[in-house]
Amino acid sequence: MTFAARLLPLPFFTVLPMQAAIIGPYAVDADTVHLFHFDETAGTSVAANAVGGGRSGIAFDGTTLLNHATAPQPVSTAVLGAAGYSTPFGAAANISAANLGIGLDGNGSGGFQVGTASTCPDAVAHSSFTGSGGAFTIEALVKLPSITGSQREIACTDSAFAARGFQFRVSSSGQLEFNFIATAGAAATAAIPTTGTHAFSAANWYHLAVTHDGTTTRLYWTRVDASVSSANEIGSTTTETMTGSVTGPLVIGNEARLTGNATEGLLGLIDEVRISKVARGANGFIFEPLDLETDTDHDLLPDAWERLHAPTLGKLSGLDDANHDNDSGTDLAEYEAGSDPVDPDSTPSDIDADTLPDTVEVRYFGDLSQGPTGDPDGDGGITATELANRSAPNHRASNAADTDADSLPDAWEQAHFSSLSLNGGSDPDGDGFGNLQERIATTDPGDAGSRPTGTAVNLVPLDDGDHATSDFGYAGASAINTVAFVRSSLKTVGDQQFITWYGRHQHDAAADFNNTIWIGRRTLGSSQWEIFRHPTYTANNIGDGHDVISYGIDGEGYMHLSWGMHGDAFHYARSTTPVTGTGPIVLGPDGPMSGSENAVTYPQFLKLPDGDLLFLFREIASGNGETFITRYDTATDTWTPVHQNGGLQAPFIKGTWAPAYDYNAYLNMPQLGGPDGDDLILTWCWRYLPVNGSGAPGSPGGFSGYQTNNMLCFGRSTDAGLTWQRFDGSPYSLPISRDAESGVEATRAETIVTIPEGSSLINQASTCLDRAGNPVTATWWAPQTATGNFRRQYMVVFRHDNGTWQTRTVSNRTHNPTGTRYSETAVRDLGRPIVVNDDEDRIIVAYRDDSGDNGITIVHSLPKAQDPDRQVWIEFDLTRENLGNFEPIIDNELWDRDRQLHFLYQASEGEGYTPPANSADRMSVLEWDAATYFAHKPQPRVSFSSDRTEVSIAFMSEPSWTYRLWSSTDLDDWAFVETRDGTGEPLVFTWPAVEGETKRFWRVEFVEGGF
């Protein structure tokens, strides 16, 4: 069978373009040395060589190479008989483990004998592979799960001999490589495509080849597709050849070198391995161009296409509804579709004749590479069964038990809702908890009275409603999606909410879009998301938590992103159209901003009232960095540095003063405020270079890492970052510095809290503004360091009405020893906090730390009118699941507008937590209606017991309140009954029913923070 590319019907006299077909399997020609079709049945171990008299291949187990002069390797029956590319190519070999391979039985003994370091019974001379001038070709069809992480041999003759043979392989760095080790020339290497027609995908088959014509070695990597008319060359060199005098064992899909055993298994499928003694050209492989111009019999079918399928013209016709194979498609329809007109099983709707509709295969797999009996997602259900069950055959989370892949078993959904129309974030009973939470808690999602324990928070997983896609995110120890200093990964504009993250498939390590930027959009109140994936944009280092995604949305609705940097290559892109509304979110090219930015870390966007954006960032590195501001003008669509010196961008905070001390400023969540909303208000700490580091003198205190962090400073700009002043309004001279190293005293930063080095002060914490517009900073350090107590606590810094800056310890961490000053390795024990301030001047802090369940803890003050000195702080757990290295990120815009706290919510590796699979975990938004919470008023309900001997007074409580029950028979004299603290669950008070008593009253008194 052959597959031709689809061509739309045109009149016979129209000049048609050249098209292509996949031709195969190969037939032996005069230049073929070895040819393996691997069409053997499963359970066998001998692969036939199609060349007459050619030696067979033996599937072997190379866990241990025997190092014996004559003993053959143990055979493997798990290699042959795997599913191949398509029907004409038959079966394939599956090199599924690093120790498996297929060795050439060079001496015809019936086994594969590796031999010893000095002799190999099955060794073959490389001269047998080559023709005139040393020409050769080695090629194969492969299907791989990945092109990185392992050395994947295609064919190899390397050995323990002094003169070693060749390796033709996919390297662990994603390159195709041919290396004849015995020669002095550099190996021939070329990067495997990751974009374009031939981009690697684990779902596709590829043709790989290396050729040498006596002078030039060429490497080919080509997607097996009927639209391809010739092989795709990816690189060439004149430095690599093959030496005919060298001998070695020929192994397909692995190596057999005694010093390393067989450890470079292909870990994938391989088929149609051919070695030739000529350098075959790009048109000499399985890709064949077709002349679709000529139609001498005027039947609307090109002659070349007819001869491809029939021995003579006239057998097929595009006229009169001719249907040679009597299937569901006429000959003309089969030509248009690219199906086989002489195979009744190959139809326009199923061109590969595998009983799966092509539209379904393309929908789930992107091509026609899968068959009905495979289980590509590894969930235990074959493709045909999954389609019958209406589950997705490409996504393990979609299976017979949960076809819509929303983590709600179908049986559970049917029992509660009689349909699968709701997802895990829906809250049909309005109790403040989503369906996923209710399922886990085994409560009734249709009954508001049956609800999970604790304060109501609705977990809304990111779910695009497509059971074929995974909406998870990367969840390695870097916690790159949930680092608190990202001011903008979650944002509301109008009635739409946007979220960005590095996506990663729930199960598939080789999935397209893994570790790239994904953007979600939803209408507020909806649990259904739109998700837009951007395959070429990823972090410079996904394992570095600094390489975050930050974005802003300007006043015209365009999204601006900067991502993936830790003092290295700068990344910035702007959406091609406004992202608000219903259109697709498409990013423009990764390019410069103003053109001045480089070596950037900590990108942060803020939107000004006029719709312009500010971009704050650090350049250079930790301990010797400068802080800059760039402004985007929506009128001109340009970015311009706010501060310039001689036409070049200039920092407004400077930290490089070598040969004096170098340091950098770490900003605590910049805020906009003031009467016009364009006051830029900052607090920050300083960090020195580590002691004994390179460059300027290191830490004066002799510390390293975050232990060099020191002081808390303040600055305000009333003109969007251009000029700066201290709290009393006196102006700064720029650039601001720690110690006025320039000699200008007006550059010295205003210190609002003295925190020496060695105080375990975290950097990049959080700031909000109180009702007076003054900053409130939440961070953590060890406040009793001076007494030798290094226990770290969460701290709040605020401006008191008496004109002083004051600090409050808002946690009571006791599980760390007081005498241990922790190094950088323990920074993740305490997540950075976030802080907000509500309409009653209540300070609210959220953090995650290891002193409890490692979920989100809330600690808040009383309203300022009740406690102006901020002495009372109330703490409770908002969530209790282990979130690993998570730090809270909130939707600042939604908080400012509606007093709703929405958290970007994802557990990540660390603190005893391990992601369930593939370094990926669920991405969600956790919704806490803080405004409703702090407006809490209990609603008591009075009821009798079934035997009417007891009265119950019940109401929902919240952990920030204490409740006191009083009782009376006449509304005048009240008797105290009991006081209880709130828990986030119903409180139930009981009272004995008194026989003959005709009336009784109860009163509930409640106080925030306790009596």
Side-chain angles (χ1 to χ4, degrees):
M1 184 189 297
T2 55
F3 297 115
R6 181 182 184 277
L7 184 71
L8 294 177
L10 295 170
F12 72 91
F13 51 81
T14 300
V15 176
L16 300 176
M18 298 292 286
Q19 296 294 313
I22 300 298
I23 306 297
Y26 287 134
V28 174
D29 63 18
D31 296 313
T32 305
V33 179
H34 298 288
L35 175 59
F36 292 95
H37 298 307
F38 296 134
D39 288 337
E40 288 74 22
T41 58
T44 59
S45 60
V46 178
N49 192 330
V51 175
R55 299 302 191 186
S56 300
I58 308 296
F60 69 91
D61 181 336
T63 302
T64 301
L65 296 181
L66 298 181
N67 195 14
H68 190 278
T70 59
Q73 284 297 124
V75 300
S76 172
T77 58
V79 172
L80 300 176
Y85 163 69
S86 63
T87 301
F89 287 95
N94 184 11
I95 311 297
S96 59
N99 60 302
L100 300 179
I102 300 171
L104 185 73
D105 180 12
N107 63 0
S109 67
F112 177 55
Q113 302 160 293
V114 176
T116 67
S118 59
T119 182
C120 173
D122 281 328
V124 290
H126 289 83
S127 59
S128 66
F129 301 154
T130 59
S132 176
F136 66 89
T137 298
I138 305 170
E139 60 183 298
L141 302 184
V142 301
K143 185 180 183 186
L144 305 176
S146 174
I147 55 172
T148 59
S150 299
Q151 307 281 18
R152 303 171 188 271
E153 297 285 356
I154 302 155
C156 176
T157 59
D158 192 12
S159 69
F161 295 171
R164 297 167 59 184
F166 69 79
Q167 296 170 327
F168 180 37
R169 64 187 182 182
V170 173
S171 74
S172 59
S173 60
Q175 294 192 320
L176 189 60
E177 173 186 317
F178 178 78
N179 182 16
F180 199 97
I181 302 169
T183 61
T189 61
I192 294 171
T194 55
T195 60
T197 301
H198 306 286
F200 171 75
S201 168
N204 298 331
W205 280 84
Y206 297 88
H207 175 267
L208 283 60
V210 56
T211 71
H212 181 71
D213 60 9
T215 302
T216 303
T217 302
R218 304 180 191 277
L219 295 170
Y220 296 88
W221 172 280
T222 313
R223 178 176 174 173
V224 180
D225 187 276
S227 65
V228 178
S229 60
S230 63
N232 175 54
E233 182 178 331
I234 60 172
S236 64
T237 179
T238 58
T239 64
E240 190 61 292
T241 60
M242 186 184 288
T243 301
S245 60
V246 175
T247 63
L250 175 62
V251 179
I252 295 169
N254 211 320
E255 62 176 355
R257 187 164 183 255
L258 287 174
T259 52
N261 290 320
T263 57
E264 295 192 0
L266 185 69
L267 303 180
L269 299 173
I270 188 166
D271 198 6
E272 209 63 11
V273 176
R274 182 171 69 167
I275 298 177
S276 308
K277 57 185 180 181
V278 293
R280 299 188 186 270
N283 294 322
F285 301 118
I286 61 172
F287 312 100
E288 181 169 311
L290 296 180
D291 174 7
L292 299 185
E293 298 179 1
T294 305
D295 180 17
T296 59
D297 54 356
H298 307 298
D299 62 356
L300 300 182
L301 301 178
D303 294 353
W305 186 84
E306 291 187 66
R307 291 193 177 98
L308 185 66
H309 297 286
T312 61
L313 296 181
K315 293 289 186 181
L316 304 173
S317 174
L319 304 174
D320 302 322
D321 293 328
N323 186 350
H324 180 78
D325 57 5
N326 295 313
D327 59 8
S328 61
T330 64
D331 293 348
L332 181 60
E334 303 230 39
Y335 165 63
E336 294 171 1
S339 53
D340 190 334
V342 298
D343 181 355
D345 293 326
S346 173
T347 67
S349 61
D350 182 16
I351 66 174
D352 57 346
D354 63 357
T355 73
L356 299 179
D358 294 346
T359 54
V360 171
E361 291 189 74
V362 172
R363 154 90 166 95
Y364 290 111
F365 308 117
D367 57 26
L368 306 183
S369 62
Q370 299 295 332
T373 60
D375 180 18
D377 59 3
D379 63 0
I382 64 172
T383 296
T385 301
E386 294 226 49
L387 295 176
N389 292 338
R390 297 188 176 182
S391 57
N394 68 326
H395 186 15
R396 194 179 307 172
S398 173
N399 49 56
D402 182 15
T403 58
D404 55 352
D406 61 358
S407 297
L408 304 177
D410 292 357
W412 186 89
E413 293 187 73
Q414 292 289 354
H416 289 289
F417 313 125
S418 301
S419 75
L420 305 182
S421 60
L422 301 179
N423 62 19
S426 303
D427 179 20
D429 59 3
D431 62 3
F433 292 92
N435 288 333
L436 180 60
Q437 295 162 286
E438 301 240 28
R439 180 189 69 77
I440 294 171
T442 67
T443 53
D444 187 344
D447 178 2
S450 172
R451 46 167 271 174
T453 60
T455 296
V457 285
N458 187 16
L459 185 72
V460 182
L462 270 69
D463 182 353
D464 65 0
D466 184 352
H467 67 167
T469 62
S470 172
D471 306 321
F472 278 37
Y474 179 81
S478 66
I480 196 169
N481 289 320
T482 56
V483 182
F485 57 70
V486 184
R487 194 184 194 284
S488 305
S489 276
L490 184 65
K491 183 187 297 290
T492 291
V493 178
D495 66 346
Q496 292 182 305
Q497 190 172 57
F498 301 83
I499 186 171
T500 58
W501 74 104
Y502 291 110
R504 188 167 176 84
H505 195 281
Q506 186 172 350
H507 300 289
D508 187 356
D512 292 338
F513 308 105
N514 272 353
N515 302 345
T516 62
I517 291 178
W518 299 6
I519 302 173
R521 178 177 66 195
R522 67 161 175 165
T523 300
L524 280 173
S526 171
S527 59
Q528 189 73 59
W529 292 82
E530 299 174 275
I531 295 177
F532 306 91
R533 296 167 174 85
H534 294 80
T536 61
Y537 294 160
T538 188
N540 292 340
N541 179 4
I542 197 72
D544 185 343
H546 297 81
D547 288 22
V548 296
I549 306 167
S550 184
Y551 74 91
I553 297 177
D554 66 32
E556 296 180 342
Y558 287 85
M559 179 179 281
H560 302 250
L561 287 93
S562 189
W563 72 93
M565 306 166 294
H566 187 189
D568 44 24
F570 181 69
H571 297 294
Y572 163 76
R574 175 185 172 222
S575 64
T576 58
T577 58
V579 297
T580 51
T582 59
I585 297 178
V586 179
L587 298 180
D590 178 1
M593 185 177 272
S594 71
S596 300
E597 301 78 14
N598 59 81
V600 168
T601 312
Y602 308 119
Q604 294 181 319
F605 291 89
L606 295 95
K607 187 172 79 171
L608 294 167
D610 63 1
D612 287 3
L613 295 177
L614 295 180
F615 181 67
L616 282 76
F617 59 98
R618 187 196 75 191
E619 286 195 356
I620 312 179
S622 174
N624 63 333
E626 322 276 39
T627 307
F628 299 84
I629 307 174
T630 303
R631 179 167 179 160
Y632 180 74
D633 185 343
T634 54
T636 61
D637 294 334
T638 57
W639 287 93
T640 305
V642 170
H643 305 98
Q644 300 187 48
N645 186 355
L648 301 177
Q649 73 169 4
F652 75 102
I653 303 178
K654 182 175 175 59
T656 54
W657 297 100
Y661 290 107
D662 278 352
Y663 47 79
N664 72 277
Y666 278 122
L667 309 183
N668 295 314
M669 195 71 70
Q671 293 292 329
L672 289 172
D676 300 320
D678 60 358
D679 284 15
L680 181 56
I681 301 164
L682 300 179
T683 70
W684 68 89
C685 72
W686 303 104
R687 175 178 289 194
Y688 285 111
L689 285 172
V691 66
N692 298 323
S694 60
S699 154
F703 295 99
S704 298
Y706 85 107
Q707 290 292 354
T708 74
N709 291 347
N710 65 95
M711 305 304 181
L712 196 64
C713 299
F714 170 84
R716 181 194 302 267
S717 170
T718 59
D719 49 16
L722 180 61
T723 63
W724 289 84
Q725 59 187 234
R726 297 176 179 83
F727 191 83
D728 62 6
S730 60
Y732 278 116
S733 292
L734 300 185
I736 300 169
S737 61
R738 186 186 189 279
D739 297 312
E741 286 88 350
S742 67
V744 179
E745 186 61 25
T747 65
R748 187 187 301 273
E750 178 182 11
T751 298
I752 59 176
V753 181
T754 299
I755 307 173
E757 284 190 89
S759 297
S760 305
L761 171 66
I762 192 57
N763 51 282
Q764 299 290 116
S766 182
T767 294
C768 69
L769 303 180
D770 65 17
R771 301 296 292 170
N774 294 324
V776 178
T777 293
T779 182
W780 54 258
W781 75 82
Q784 299 181 41
T785 293
T787 67
N789 182 348
F790 304 121
R791 185 175 283 158
R792 298 165 292 178
Q793 303 289 354
Y794 285 92
M795 307 293 294
V796 167
V797 177
F798 65 96
R799 181 78 176 182
H800 196 279
D801 287 345
N802 66 11
T804 62
W805 294 96
Q806 300 200 4
T807 66
R808 297 290 182 268
T809 302
V810 299
S811 64
N812 185 28
R813 289 171 48 82
T814 60
H815 73 295
N816 293 139
T818 60
T820 301
R821 179 187 272 132
Y822 286 94
S823 68
E824 198 86 14
T825 58
V827 165
R828 290 289 194 174
D829 292 350
L830 291 79
R832 293 174 178 86
I834 60 97
V835 61
V836 294
N837 194 83
D838 73 3
D839 293 336
E840 296 185 272
D841 248 352
R842 187 186 280 109
I843 299 171
I844 306 164
V845 180
Y847 62 84
R848 186 276 315 156
D849 78 327
D850 65 345
S851 64
D853 296 319
N854 206 45
I856 295 179
T857 296
I858 298 293
V859 58
H860 67 88
S861 71
L862 295 176
K864 183 178 178 182
Q866 298 178 29
D867 180 22
D869 291 331
R870 309 294 197 187
Q871 297 294 343
V872 177
W873 293 87
I874 302 152
E875 177 185 314
F876 64 93
D877 290 331
L878 192 66
T879 67
R880 290 186 171 90
E881 62 182 319
N882 186 351
L883 294 175
N885 284 346
F886 164 92
E887 293 179 348
I889 296 171
I890 64 167
D891 186 333
N892 287 280
E893 287 71 18
L894 187 62
W895 171 260
D896 290 343
R897 189 185 74 185
D898 298 341
R899 297 309 191 223
Q900 305 289 306
L901 267 182
H902 284 197
F903 297 88
L904 190 158
Y905 198 77
Q906 185 202 29
S908 61
E909 183 179 348
E911 303 299 330
Y913 178 80
T914 302
N918 198 34
S919 295
D921 215 323
R922 177 180 290 109
M923 298 293 302
S924 305
V925 171
L926 184 76
E927 303 175 344
W928 182 38
D929 186 347
T932 297
Y933 176 87
F934 287 113
H936 166 69
K937 289 182 174 58
Q939 303 294 317
R941 299 183 305 277
V942 180
S943 60
F944 279 100
S945 61
S946 59
D947 60 3
R948 303 186 69 79
T949 62
E950 192 174 70
V951 177
S952 295
I953 303 93
F955 53 87
M956 183 59 64
S957 71
E958 293 294 0
S960 298
W961 280 265
T962 299
Y963 305 84
R964 181 170 289 170
L965 182 67
W966 300 80
S967 180
S968 173
T969 58
D970 58 9
L971 297 179
D972 291 324
D973 296 322
W974 290 91
F976 167 72
V977 178
E978 187 179 356
T979 299
R980 293 191 194 175
D981 292 329
T983 62
E985 301 174 31
L987 291 183
V988 180
F989 297 84
T990 59
W991 185 271
V994 179
E995 186 174 355
E997 188 174 78
T998 59
K999 57 184 177 180
R1000 179 165 289 278
F1001 305 93
W1002 285 271
R1003 184 180 73 195
V1004 176
E1005 186 180 4
F1006 63 103
V1007 174
E1008 183 178 355
F1011 291 98

